[in-house]
Amino acid sequence: MTTFGDVFHDFAGSAIVHSVGGVLALVGAMALGPRIGKYGKDGKSRAIPGHNLTMAALGVFILWLGWFGFNPGSQLAASGEVNRIAISHVFLTTNLAAAAGGTATMVITWLKYGKPSLSLTLNGVLAGLVGITAGCDLVSPIGAVAIGLVCGAVLVYSIEFIDHRLHIDDPVGASSVHGVCGILGTLLTGLLSTSNGALYGHGWGFFGAECFGILVIDLWAAVCGFLLFFGIKKAHGLRVGSRVEEEGLDIYEHGEACYN
C-alpha cells in the first residue's frame, strides 16, 4: 500500500509542463476573446480553417520525433544496462501512445462527422504524446496504448465542448491537447503504473497523490494566468484593433503579406 502525499510522479511533464500550458492557454483565450467572425449572432461556432495542413502535419511529425528526446532524455543518463533498458522502455511507451492517440481521434471523427479529420487526427497524436509524458517510465506497453486511446478519444469531445458550449475560441485546441490530456495522463499514471497503480492492486494512495498534485499545480496556474492575462488586458490591452486583425498583423508588423 502506497502512502498519500509523497509519491506524486510526473516523469517528463504531463502536469508541470503540459497541463500548466493548457490551463494558461484556456485563461488566455478567455481574456483575449474570440476572433472576429468566430461566433455568429445566434451563438453558433464558425470554422476558421488553417491555411496549410501540410505544414501542420510536418510540424506534428517533427514534434513526434522531438518527443523522443523529451521523454527518453528525461532519464538523464544513458550509461549502464539499467538506464539503457529504461530509456528503451520510454521510447516504446511514448511511440505507442502517440500512435494510439492519433488512431483513436481519426476513428472517432470518422464515426462522428462521416470523414476522418486530418487536423484533429494530428492533434490526437499530440494528445497521446502529452498523456504518456507523466508515466512513460512506469506503465506497460499496453498501458501506454490505453493512455493514448483515452486521450485521443477525449480530445475530440473536449475541443467541441470548449468551442461550442463554453464559446472560448482556442484556434489550435491547446487547452484540450495540453491541458485536458496533461491532466488525464497524470491521473491515468496513478491507475496504470505497474509498480504502484491502483488497477494493478497497489491501492489508491498513489492515485490520490496524482489527483492532489495535478489539482494544486493547475489551480496555481489558473490563478497566476488570471492575474497575468486580465492584468495586462486592464493595464495595456491584449489585442490589436479590428482593422489590423482583419487585414493581418504581417502587413502591419513586416510591411508585406505573408499569405496570398
Side-chain angles (χ1 to χ4, degrees), residues 5 13 15 24 28 31 56 71 79-80 87 98 115 119 136 160-161 169 190 196-197 203 224 227 240 255 259:
L24 289 173
N71 282 6
S79 59
I87 289 173
K115 295 183 182 296
S119 59
C136 52
E160 190 174 81
F161 178 77
D169 183 14
N196 48 6
C224 290
L227 294 174
V240 297
Y259 313 109

Side-chain angles (χ1 to χ4, degrees), residues 13 22 48 64 115 143 179 207 254 258:
I48 302 179
W64 193 338
K115 295 183 182 296
F207 178 72
H254 303 290
C258 295

Side-chain angles (χ1 to χ4, degrees), residues 2 137-139 192-197 200-202 206:
T2 55
D137 61 325
L138 295 184
V139 303
L192 296 173
S193 166
T194 58
S195 59
N196 48 6
Y200 283 82
H202 298 288
F206 180 52

Side-chain angles (χ1 to χ4, degrees), residues 153-168:
V154 171
L155 170 78
V156 178
Y157 299 97
S158 175
I159 288 177
E160 190 174 81
F161 178 77
I162 290 172
D163 183 17
H164 294 179
R165 300 296 182 184
L166 300 182
H167 286 178
I168 297 174

Side-chain angles (χ1 to χ4, degrees), residues 26-174:
L26 184 66
V27 176
M30 291 170 59
L32 186 64
R35 290 165 289 175
I36 295 173
K38 174 60 179 175
Y39 299 106
K41 293 182 179 179
D42 56 1
K44 289 186 178 180
S45 173
R46 298 172 178 172
I48 302 179
H51 75 280
N52 195 324
L53 281 178
T54 303
M55 293 299 290
L58 176 62
V60 167
F61 279 102
I62 291 172
L63 280 171
W64 193 338
L65 179 63
W67 234 279
F68 293 139
F70 186 56
N71 282 6
S74 294
Q75 183 65 28
L76 299 181
S79 59
E81 184 178 356
V82 173
N83 283 330
R84 285 196 292 270
I85 292 173
I87 289 173
S88 298
H89 180 80
V90 173
F91 264 105
L92 177 62
T93 55
T94 298
N95 200 49
L96 286 173
T103 300
T105 302
M106 181 186 70
V107 171
I108 288 177
T109 56
W110 207 332
L111 294 173
K112 187 175 176 62
Y113 305 124
K115 295 183 182 296
S117 168
L118 173 58
S119 59
L120 282 175
T121 298
L122 294 172
N123 265 352
V125 171
L126 297 180
L129 288 167
V130 168
I132 195 60
T133 295
C136 52
D137 61 325
L138 295 184
V139 303
S140 68
I142 293 176
V145 171
I147 289 173
L149 290 174
V150 170
C151 289
V154 171
L155 170 78
V156 178
Y157 299 97
S158 175
I159 288 177
E160 190 174 81
F161 178 77
I162 290 172
D163 183 17
H164 294 179
R165 300 296 182 184
L166 300 182
H167 286 178
I168 297 174
D169 183 14
D170 183 356
V172 296

Side-chain angles (χ1 to χ4, degrees), residues 230-245:
F230 284 93
I232 294 173
K233 183 177 182 179
K234 183 72 173 178
H236 181 269
L238 282 174
R239 62 191 299 166
V240 297
S242 58
R243 177 180 177 180
V244 177
E245 181 177 339

